[in-house]
């Protein structure tokens, strides 16, 4: 009787350990998938790395989205200071995105609005980029575009304000001259 009871306890212990093992493996798998989801990388898809060298980081950090024509195709995996000067960014790109030689990277958006991304501009043709390839970076981005457009916009706003001021002064003059007539009415 005692051997059957000890066999039963041993079997119960085995199943408890088995359940704990399955639970631990499931928790690790969920953690892995959760981290990939939060990083913005495909949950089960394959990716490859590309290297981009920028003069300044301008708000990019680990997890910053990488886009092609506005569509997300990856994330920034790592940002560090480069020995050559500037900032080195490792981009993690989805395997099904066909980037070719001549592809350039640009930082877009405003860091103050937390709306920064790395935009890739593809060029048609060319050989496919190999994993770990270094891609050239283009200067510019949203902030530089705003700086270029700021002077003409300021000039148009200034001329509109001058016209509005003239209109308001004429309206004040007309209303000021008609005050006695309004009182007599």
């Amino acid at each position: 009787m005692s051997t059957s009871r000890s066999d039963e306890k041993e079997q119960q212990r085995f199943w408890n350990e088995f359940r704990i093992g399955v639970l631990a493996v499931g928790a690790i798998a969920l953690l892995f998938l959760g981290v990939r989801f939060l990083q913005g990388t495909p949950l089960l898809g394959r990716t490859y790395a590309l290297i981009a060298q920028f003069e300044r980081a301008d708000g990019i950090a680990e997890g910053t989205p990488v886009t092609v024509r506005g569509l997300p195709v990856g994330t920034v995996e790592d940002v560090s200071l480069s020995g050559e000067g500037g900032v080195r960014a490792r981009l993690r790109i989805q395997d099904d995105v066909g980037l070719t030689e001549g592809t350039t990277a640009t930082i877009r958006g405003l860091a103050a609005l937390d709306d920064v991304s790395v935009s890739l501009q593809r060029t048609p043709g060319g050989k496919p980029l190999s994993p770990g390839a270094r891609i050239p970076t283009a200067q510019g981005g949203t902030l530089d575009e705003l700086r270029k457009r700021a002077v003409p916009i300021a000039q148009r706003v200034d001329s509109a304000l001058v016209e509005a001021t003239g209109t308001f002064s004429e309206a004040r003059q007309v209303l000021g001259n008609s005050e006695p007539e309004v009182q007599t009415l």
Side-chain angles (χ1 to χ4, degrees):
M1 172 107 169
S2 68
T3 52
S4 71
R5 187 170 176 112
S6 68
D7 287 343
E8 199 174 291
K9 280 186 174 183
E10 191 66 33
Q11 190 175 18
Q12 184 66 28
R13 184 173 174 214
F14 169 78
W15 284 112
N16 286 342
E17 289 175 0
F18 179 76
R19 287 180 192 136
I20 290 171
V22 168
L23 186 64
V25 168
I28 291 170
L30 274 174
L31 179 67
F32 173 76
L33 293 174
V35 167
R36 288 186 63 100
F37 174 75
L38 291 175
Q39 287 178 339
T41 57
L43 295 179
L44 299 173
R46 295 186 50 167
T47 61
Y48 62 97
L50 295 176
I51 306 298
Q53 177 93 15
F54 297 101
E55 281 186 31
R56 298 184 333 223
D58 286 338
I60 63 170
E62 187 176 325
T64 299
V66 177
T67 62
V68 172
R69 295 186 179 190
L71 296 175
V73 297
T75 58
V76 174
E77 182 178 51
D78 181 52
V79 180
S80 61
L81 292 175
S82 172
E84 304 164 9
V87 177
R88 179 180 173 268
R90 180 188 308 271
L91 312 177
R92 183 62 55 186
I93 308 297
Q94 296 172 9
D95 206 21
D96 59 348
V97 177
L99 298 176
T100 58
E101 289 179 350
T103 298
T104 59
T106 307
I107 298 175
R108 300 236 183 247
L110 298 171
L113 300 176
D114 197 28
D115 185 33
V116 179
S117 67
V118 175
S119 178
L120 301 178
Q121 290 78 36
R122 295 193 302 186
T123 54
K127 293 189 287 185
L129 288 173
S130 60
R134 190 174 212 147
I135 58 173
T137 56
Q139 296 302 323
T142 306
L143 191 55
D144 289 333
E145 290 172 17
L146 286 175
R147 286 181 190 144
K148 289 177 187 174
R149 295 180 185 181
V151 172
I153 290 172
Q155 289 171 345
R156 285 192 297 229
V157 168
D158 187 46
S159 66
L161 287 174
V162 167
E163 288 180 30
T165 302
T167 303
F168 287 137
S169 65
E170 286 180 30
R172 185 177 313 139
Q173 188 177 21
V174 168
L175 291 174
N177 291 342
S178 65
E179 185 176 326
E181 294 172 8
V182 170
Q183 288 179 355
T184 57
L185 280 173

